[in-house]
C-alpha cells in the first residue's frame, strides 16, 4: 500500500498511473475497513473520496453524505502575483464564522499573503486542493490562508497533494486527516490552527519519521504544560501522543513565526478556555518546542 | 551557539501568549474535567450533563464535546487510526 501511495504522490508519474495507484491504495484501506465489519457499496468503492468515516456504527456522524462526493479542485497559487490571476472569480457565499469575514475579504487577504510570500522552491499551499464544496466559500479561503501562512513559515520538499474540505465525519470533532484529505469544521472556533494541525499530520505522514516525532515530543516533555498533563495520570493520552504533540507544536510554530494576528488570537483563546488551556503552550513555555520543530524542518531542508 | 541564537530570533520573543490560570487553578480544573469523565463512565451523569457542567465552568459546548471525545472515546479513535490511518481531531 505504501508503494501505491508513493506512486500516487510521485509528480514524475503520469496522471493515469497516479490515479490508478491512488484508487488501489484506497481499495486496500477499504478492504481493511471491511474486515472491521464496515460495508461499502460499489459506488462508494469507486468514489474518489473515502467513505470509511461514515460507516462506523455506534457513533453519531456529522453530515454523513458529504464526503462521498468531494470533488477536487486544485487552486494553483504558484507564481500568482498580487493580481491573483489564478484565483476564482469573487463570490460572496459562505461567511467565515470565526471572524465574520466574508469570501471577498478573505480572498484579498490571501492575495496579499501570496504577494508577500518569501521565495519558495515548493510552497506547500501548491499542494493544497480545495474541495469543490468549499472552493468559493470563506471557509475555503480561511483554510487557504492557513496554508499560505505555512508557505511564509517554511519551504516544502514535495509532499503529495492534500484535499481540504469542510467535512468532519464525527460530530464532536473539529478536524480530521485521512488518506491525504484534511477536513476542518467550518463552525470551529480555531479553523486556522486546526487546518495547520491537520497539515502537520500530512507532513508527519509523508515527510517525517517516528524518530522526528519523538524528538519533538522529547522537547515537549521539558515544558511545564507537559508536567501538568502527566501529573493527572491516565485519561489524557491523546494529548501526549507523539503525532498529536508534533501537530500542536507545528501549528503553534507556524502562527508564532508568521505572527498572524488571527492565529495568535485562536491560540490565546485555547489558552484561556478552562477545557483547553493545556492543549497549546504559553510563549514562555514554547521556546524549546519551537526550536525542536525548526531543527526537524531544517533537517528536511525546508528551513534555512 | 550561533545557530541557536539565530533560531531564537525566528520567533518574536515579544509575542506573549499567556494562560489566565495559575498552576494550581490549572491542576484543579483538569482534575475536575477528568472527574466529569469518570462520572460519565460510571453512569452517574449522562454525557450531555457532563457537557453542561463543563460549559457552566466557563468552557464552550464545542470545547467540552472535544474534551469528552478525546477522553471517553479515545480508545475507539486509536483503533480507528490503527486500522485505517484515519485521524480524528
Amino acid at each position: 500500500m505504501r508503494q501505491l501511495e508513493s506512486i500516487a504522490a510521485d509528480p514524475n508519474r503520469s496522471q493515469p498511473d497516479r490515479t490508478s495507484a491512488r484508487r488501489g491504495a484506497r481499495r486496500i484501506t477499504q478492504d481493511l475497513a471491511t474486515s472491521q465489519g464496515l460495508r461499502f457499496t460499489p459506488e462508494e468503492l469507486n468514489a474518489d473520496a473515502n467513505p470509511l468515516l461514515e460507516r462506523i456504527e455506534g457513533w453519531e456522524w456529522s453530515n454523513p453524505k458529504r464526503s462521498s462526493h468531494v470533488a477536487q479542485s486544485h487552486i494553483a497559487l504558484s507564481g500568482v502575483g498580487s493580481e491573483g490571476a489564478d484565483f476564482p472569480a469573487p463570490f460572496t457565499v459562505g461567511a467565515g464564522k470565526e471572524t465574520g469575514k466574508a469570501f471577498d475579504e478573505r480572498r484579498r487577504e490571501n492575495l496579499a499573503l501570496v504577494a508577500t510570500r518569501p521565495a519558495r522552491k515548493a510552497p506547500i499551499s501548491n499542494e493544497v486542493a480545495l474541495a469543490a464544496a468549499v472552493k468559493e466559500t470563506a471557509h475555503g479561503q480561511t483554510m487557504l490562508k492557513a496554508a499560505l501562512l505555512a508557505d511564509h513559515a517554511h519551504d516544502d520538499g514535495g509532499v503529495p497533494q492534500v484535499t481540504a474540505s469542510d467535512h468532519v465525519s464525527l460530530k464532536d470533532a473539529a478536524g480530521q486527516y485521512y488518506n491525504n484529505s484534511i477536513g476542518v469544521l467550518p463552525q470551529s472556533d480555531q479553523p486556522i490552527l486546526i487546518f495547520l494541525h491537520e497539515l502537520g499530520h500530512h507532513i508527519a505522514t509523508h515527510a517525517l519519521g517516528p524518530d522526528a516525532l519523538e524528538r519533538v515530543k522529547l522537547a515537549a516533555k521539558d515544558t511545564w504544560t507537559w508536567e501538568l498533563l502527566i501529573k493527572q495520570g491516565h485519561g489524557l493520552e491523546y494529548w501526549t501522543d507523539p503525532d498529536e504533540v508534533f501537530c500542536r507544536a507545528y501549528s503553534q510554530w507556524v502562527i508564532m513565526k508568521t505572527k498572524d494576528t488571527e492565529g495568535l488570537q485562536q491560540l490565546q483563546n485555547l489558552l484561556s478556555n478552562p477545557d483547553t488551556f493545556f492543549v497549546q503552550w504559553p510563549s514562555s513555555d514554547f521556546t524549546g518546542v519551537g526550536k525542536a520543530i525548526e531543527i526537524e524542518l531544517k533537517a528536511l531542508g525546508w528551513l534555512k | 551557539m550561533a545557530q541557536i541564537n539565530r533560531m531564537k530570533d525566528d520567533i518574536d520573543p515579544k509575542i506573549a501568549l499567556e494562560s489566565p490560570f495559575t498552576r494550581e487553578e490549572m491542576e484543579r480544573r483538569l482534575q475536575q474535567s477528568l472527574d466529569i469523565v469518570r462520572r460519565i463512565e460510571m453512569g452517574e451523569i449522562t454525557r450531555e450533563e457532563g457537557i453542561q457542567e463543563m460549559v457552566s465552568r466557563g468552557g464552550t459546548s464545542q470545547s467540552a464535546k472535544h474534551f469528552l471525545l478525546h477522553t471517553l472515546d479515545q480508545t475507539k479513535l486509536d483503533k480507528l487510526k490503527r486500522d485505517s490511518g484515519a485521524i480524528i481531531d
Side-chain angles (χ1 to χ4, degrees), chain A residues 124-138:
Chain A
I124 203 162
S125 69
N126 278 8
E127 300 303 332
V128 175
L130 292 182
V134 296
K135 187 178 174 186
E136 290 162 353
T137 66

mmCIF file with all atom_site columns, all heavy atoms in Angstrom, chain A residues 124-138:
data_model
loop_
_atom_site.group_PDB
_atom_site.id
_atom_site.type_symbol
_atom_site.label_atom_id
_atom_site.label_alt_id
_atom_site.label_comp_id
_atom_site.label_asym_id
_atom_site.label_entity_id
_atom_site.label_seq_id
_atom_site.pdbx_PDB_ins_code
_atom_site.Cartn_x
_atom_site.Cartn_y
_atom_site.Cartn_z
_atom_site.occupancy
_atom_site.B_iso_or_equiv
_atom_site.pdbx_formal_charge
_atom_site.auth_seq_id
_atom_site.auth_comp_id
_atom_site.auth_asym_id
_atom_site.auth_atom_id
_atom_site.pdbx_PDB_model_num
ATOM 1   N N   . ILE A 1 124 ? 4.087   24.961 0.099  1.00 0.00 ? 124 ILE A N   1
ATOM 2   C CA  . ILE A 1 124 ? 3.214   23.838 0.445  1.00 0.00 ? 124 ILE A CA  1
ATOM 3   C C   . ILE A 1 124 ? 1.762   24.105 0.032  1.00 0.00 ? 124 ILE A C   1
ATOM 4   O O   . ILE A 1 124 ? 1.007   23.172 -0.233 1.00 0.00 ? 124 ILE A O   1
ATOM 5   C CB  . ILE A 1 124 ? 3.330   23.503 1.953  1.00 0.00 ? 124 ILE A CB  1
ATOM 6   C CG1 . ILE A 1 124 ? 2.897   22.054 2.200  1.00 0.00 ? 124 ILE A CG1 1
ATOM 7   C CG2 . ILE A 1 124 ? 2.575   24.475 2.823  1.00 0.00 ? 124 ILE A CG2 1
ATOM 8   C CD1 . ILE A 1 124 ? 3.369   21.481 3.518  1.00 0.00 ? 124 ILE A CD1 1
ATOM 9   N N   . SER A 1 125 ? 1.384   25.370 -0.071 1.00 0.00 ? 125 SER A N   1
ATOM 10  C CA  . SER A 1 125 ? -0.004  25.663 -0.475 1.00 0.00 ? 125 SER A CA  1
ATOM 11  C C   . SER A 1 125 ? -0.276  25.182 -1.897 1.00 0.00 ? 125 SER A C   1
ATOM 12  O O   . SER A 1 125 ? -1.430  24.971 -2.268 1.00 0.00 ? 125 SER A O   1
ATOM 13  C CB  . SER A 1 125 ? -0.308  27.156 -0.358 1.00 0.00 ? 125 SER A CB  1
ATOM 14  O OG  . SER A 1 125 ? 0.404   27.874 -1.331 1.00 0.00 ? 125 SER A OG  1
ATOM 15  N N   . ASN A 1 126 ? 0.777   25.016 -2.694 1.00 0.00 ? 126 ASN A N   1
ATOM 16  C CA  . ASN A 1 126 ? 0.574   24.488 -4.050 1.00 0.00 ? 126 ASN A CA  1
ATOM 17  C C   . ASN A 1 126 ? 0.025   23.073 -4.024 1.00 0.00 ? 126 ASN A C   1
ATOM 18  O O   . ASN A 1 126 ? -0.528  22.600 -5.009 1.00 0.00 ? 126 ASN A O   1
ATOM 19  C CB  . ASN A 1 126 ? 1.898   24.473 -4.829 1.00 0.00 ? 126 ASN A CB  1
ATOM 20  C CG  . ASN A 1 126 ? 2.218   25.829 -5.420 1.00 0.00 ? 126 ASN A CG  1
ATOM 21  O OD1 . ASN A 1 126 ? 1.540   26.798 -5.122 1.00 0.00 ? 126 ASN A OD1 1
ATOM 22  N ND2 . ASN A 1 126 ? 3.254   25.895 -6.227 1.00 0.00 ? 126 ASN A ND2 1
ATOM 23  N N   . GLU A 1 127 ? 0.223   22.416 -2.901 1.00 0.00 ? 127 GLU A N   1
ATOM 24  C CA  . GLU A 1 127 ? -0.257  21.031 -2.786 1.00 0.00 ? 127 GLU A CA  1
ATOM 25  C C   . GLU A 1 127 ? -1.592  20.945 -2.080 1.00 0.00 ? 127 GLU A C   1
ATOM 26  O O   . GLU A 1 127 ? -2.068  19.862 -1.771 1.00 0.00 ? 127 GLU A O   1
ATOM 27  C CB  . GLU A 1 127 ? 0.786   20.172 -2.058 1.00 0.00 ? 127 GLU A CB  1
ATOM 28  C CG  . GLU A 1 127 ? 2.129   20.110 -2.744 1.00 0.00 ? 127 GLU A CG  1
ATOM 29  C CD  . GLU A 1 127 ? 2.022   19.604 -4.185 1.00 0.00 ? 127 GLU A CD  1
ATOM 30  O OE1 . GLU A 1 127 ? 1.083   18.839 -4.475 1.00 0.00 ? 127 GLU A OE1 1
ATOM 31  O OE2 . GLU A 1 127 ? 2.852   20.002 -5.013 1.00 0.00 ? 127 GLU A OE2 1
ATOM 32  N N   . VAL A 1 128 ? -2.180  22.093 -1.774 1.00 0.00 ? 128 VAL A N   1
ATOM 33  C CA  . VAL A 1 128 ? -3.482  22.088 -1.104 1.00 0.00 ? 128 VAL A CA  1
ATOM 34  C C   . VAL A 1 128 ? -4.580  22.309 -2.142 1.00 0.00 ? 128 VAL A C   1
ATOM 35  O O   . VAL A 1 128 ? -4.613  23.345 -2.799 1.00 0.00 ? 128 VAL A O   1
ATOM 36  C CB  . VAL A 1 128 ? -3.556  23.171 -0.009 1.00 0.00 ? 128 VAL A CB  1
ATOM 37  C CG1 . VAL A 1 128 ? -4.959  23.233 0.587  1.00 0.00 ? 128 VAL A CG1 1
ATOM 38  C CG2 . VAL A 1 128 ? -2.524  22.892 1.078  1.00 0.00 ? 128 VAL A CG2 1
ATOM 39  N N   . ALA A 1 129 ? -5.425  21.325 -2.301 1.00 0.00 ? 129 ALA A N   1
ATOM 40  C CA  . ALA A 1 129 ? -6.534  21.422 -3.254 1.00 0.00 ? 129 ALA A CA  1
ATOM 41  C C   . ALA A 1 129 ? -7.828  21.606 -2.478 1.00 0.00 ? 129 ALA A C   1
ATOM 42  O O   . ALA A 1 129 ? -8.165  20.776 -1.630 1.00 0.00 ? 129 ALA A O   1
ATOM 43  C CB  . ALA A 1 129 ? -6.609  20.149 -4.084 1.00 0.00 ? 129 ALA A CB  1
ATOM 44  N N   . LEU A 1 130 ? -8.505  22.701 -2.741 1.00 0.00 ? 130 LEU A N   1
ATOM 45  C CA  . LEU A 1 130 ? -9.785  22.912 -2.067 1.00 0.00 ? 130 LEU A CA  1
ATOM 46  C C   . LEU A 1 130 ? -10.858 22.057 -2.724 1.00 0.00 ? 130 LEU A C   1
ATOM 47  O O   . LEU A 1 130 ? -10.985 22.053 -3.954 1.00 0.00 ? 130 LEU A O   1
ATOM 48  C CB  . LEU A 1 130 ? -10.188 24.388 -2.146 1.00 0.00 ? 130 LEU A CB  1
ATOM 49  C CG  . LEU A 1 130 ? -9.332  25.388 -1.364 1.00 0.00 ? 130 LEU A CG  1
ATOM 50  C CD1 . LEU A 1 130 ? -9.903  26.794 -1.530 1.00 0.00 ? 130 LEU A CD1 1
ATOM 51  C CD2 . LEU A 1 130 ? -9.255  25.022 0.102  1.00 0.00 ? 130 LEU A CD2 1
ATOM 52  N N   . ALA A 1 131 ? -11.620 21.356 -1.907 1.00 0.00 ? 131 ALA A N   1
ATOM 53  C CA  . ALA A 1 131 ? -12.749 20.592 -2.438 1.00 0.00 ? 131 ALA A CA  1
ATOM 54  C C   . ALA A 1 131 ? -13.775 21.561 -3.023 1.00 0.00 ? 131 ALA A C   1
ATOM 55  O O   . ALA A 1 131 ? -13.879 22.712 -2.581 1.00 0.00 ? 131 ALA A O   1
ATOM 56  C CB  . ALA A 1 131 ? -13.386 19.773 -1.315 1.00 0.00 ? 131 ALA A CB  1
ATOM 57  N N   . ALA A 1 132 ? -14.517 21.091 -4.002 1.00 0.00 ? 132 ALA A N   1
ATOM 58  C CA  . ALA A 1 132 ? -15.468 21.965 -4.690 1.00 0.00 ? 132 ALA A CA  1
ATOM 59  C C   . ALA A 1 132 ? -16.446 22.622 -3.712 1.00 0.00 ? 132 ALA A C   1
ATOM 60  O O   . ALA A 1 132 ? -16.821 23.777 -3.875 1.00 0.00 ? 132 ALA A O   1
ATOM 61  C CB  . ALA A 1 132 ? -16.232 21.163 -5.730 1.00 0.00 ? 132 ALA A CB  1
ATOM 62  N N   . ALA A 1 133 ? -16.808 21.879 -2.674 1.00 0.00 ? 133 ALA A N   1
ATOM 63  C CA  . ALA A 1 133 ? -17.803 22.390 -1.722 1.00 0.00 ? 133 ALA A CA  1
ATOM 64  C C   . ALA A 1 133 ? -17.326 23.637 -0.975 1.00 0.00 ? 133 ALA A C   1
ATOM 65  O O   . ALA A 1 133 ? -18.139 24.407 -0.470 1.00 0.00 ? 133 ALA A O   1
ATOM 66  C CB  . ALA A 1 133 ? -18.168 21.304 -0.724 1.00 0.00 ? 133 ALA A CB  1
ATOM 67  N N   . VAL A 1 134 ? -16.016 23.823 -0.895 1.00 0.00 ? 134 VAL A N   1
ATOM 68  C CA  . VAL A 1 134 ? -15.508 24.982 -0.131 1.00 0.00 ? 134 VAL A CA  1
ATOM 69  C C   . VAL A 1 134 ? -14.719 25.959 -0.998 1.00 0.00 ? 134 VAL A C   1
ATOM 70  O O   . VAL A 1 134 ? -14.277 26.995 -0.513 1.00 0.00 ? 134 VAL A O   1
ATOM 71  C CB  . VAL A 1 134 ? -14.609 24.534 1.047  1.00 0.00 ? 134 VAL A CB  1
ATOM 72  C CG1 . VAL A 1 134 ? -15.396 23.734 2.060  1.00 0.00 ? 134 VAL A CG1 1
ATOM 73  C CG2 . VAL A 1 134 ? -13.398 23.769 0.562  1.00 0.00 ? 134 VAL A CG2 1
ATOM 74  N N   . LYS A 1 135 ? -14.585 25.622 -2.267 1.00 0.00 ? 135 LYS A N   1
ATOM 75  C CA  . LYS A 1 135 ? -13.708 26.418 -3.129 1.00 0.00 ? 135 LYS A CA  1
ATOM 76  C C   . LYS A 1 135 ? -14.108 27.889 -3.152 1.00 0.00 ? 135 LYS A C   1
ATOM 77  O O   . LYS A 1 135 ? -13.263 28.774 -3.193 1.00 0.00 ? 135 LYS A O   1
ATOM 78  C CB  . LYS A 1 135 ? -13.743 25.834 -4.540 1.00 0.00 ? 135 LYS A CB  1
ATOM 79  C CG  . LYS A 1 135 ? -12.760 26.467 -5.489 1.00 0.00 ? 135 LYS A CG  1
ATOM 80  C CD  . LYS A 1 135 ? -12.836 25.788 -6.838 1.00 0.00 ? 135 LYS A CD  1
ATOM 81  C CE  . LYS A 1 135 ? -11.956 26.512 -7.842 1.00 0.00 ? 135 LYS A CE  1
ATOM 82  N NZ  . LYS A 1 135 ? -12.125 25.951 -9.188 1.00 0.00 ? 135 LYS A NZ  1
ATOM 83  N N   . GLU A 1 136 ? -15.392 28.137 -3.136 1.00 0.00 ? 136 GLU A N   1
ATOM 84  C CA  . GLU A 1 136 ? -15.848 29.526 -3.247 1.00 0.00 ? 136 GLU A CA  1
ATOM 85  C C   . GLU A 1 136 ? -16.530 29.982 -1.969 1.00 0.00 ? 136 GLU A C   1
ATOM 86  O O   . GLU A 1 136 ? -17.500 30.734 -2.000 1.00 0.00 ? 136 GLU A O   1
ATOM 87  C CB  . GLU A 1 136 ? -16.766 29.665 -4.456 1.00 0.00 ? 136 GLU A CB  1
ATOM 88  C CG  . GLU A 1 136 ? -15.956 29.515 -5.744 1.00 0.00 ? 136 GLU A CG  1
ATOM 89  C CD  . GLU A 1 136 ? -16.818 29.197 -6.954 1.00 0.00 ? 136 GLU A CD  1
ATOM 90  O OE1 . GLU A 1 136 ? -18.025 28.954 -6.767 1.00 0.00 ? 136 GLU A OE1 1
ATOM 91  O OE2 . GLU A 1 136 ? -16.272 29.176 -8.057 1.00 0.00 ? 136 GLU A OE2 1
ATOM 92  N N   . THR A 1 137 ? -16.005 29.525 -0.859 1.00 0.00 ? 137 THR A N   1
ATOM 93  C CA  . THR A 1 137 ? -16.548 29.928 0.441  1.00 0.00 ? 137 THR A CA  1
ATOM 94  C C   . THR A 1 137 ? -15.458 30.596 1.264  1.00 0.00 ? 137 THR A C   1
ATOM 95  O O   . THR A 1 137 ? -14.257 30.397 1.032  1.00 0.00 ? 137 THR A O   1
ATOM 96  C CB  . THR A 1 137 ? -17.071 28.721 1.248  1.00 0.00 ? 137 THR A CB  1
ATOM 97  O OG1 . THR A 1 137 ? -15.950 27.887 1.594  1.00 0.00 ? 137 THR A OG1 1
ATOM 98  C CG2 . THR A 1 137 ? -18.071 27.907 0.451  1.00 0.00 ? 137 THR A CG2 1
ATOM 99  N N   . ALA A 1 138 ? -15.899 31.363 2.238  1.00 0.00 ? 138 ALA A N   1
ATOM 100 C CA  . ALA A 1 138 ? -14.946 31.986 3.158  1.00 0.00 ? 138 ALA A CA  1
ATOM 101 C C   . ALA A 1 138 ? -14.152 30.923 3.913  1.00 0.00 ? 138 ALA A C   1
ATOM 102 O O   . ALA A 1 138 ? -12.962 31.099 4.188  1.00 0.00 ? 138 ALA A O   1
ATOM 103 C CB  . ALA A 1 138 ? -15.696 32.882 4.139  1.00 0.00 ? 138 ALA A CB  1
#
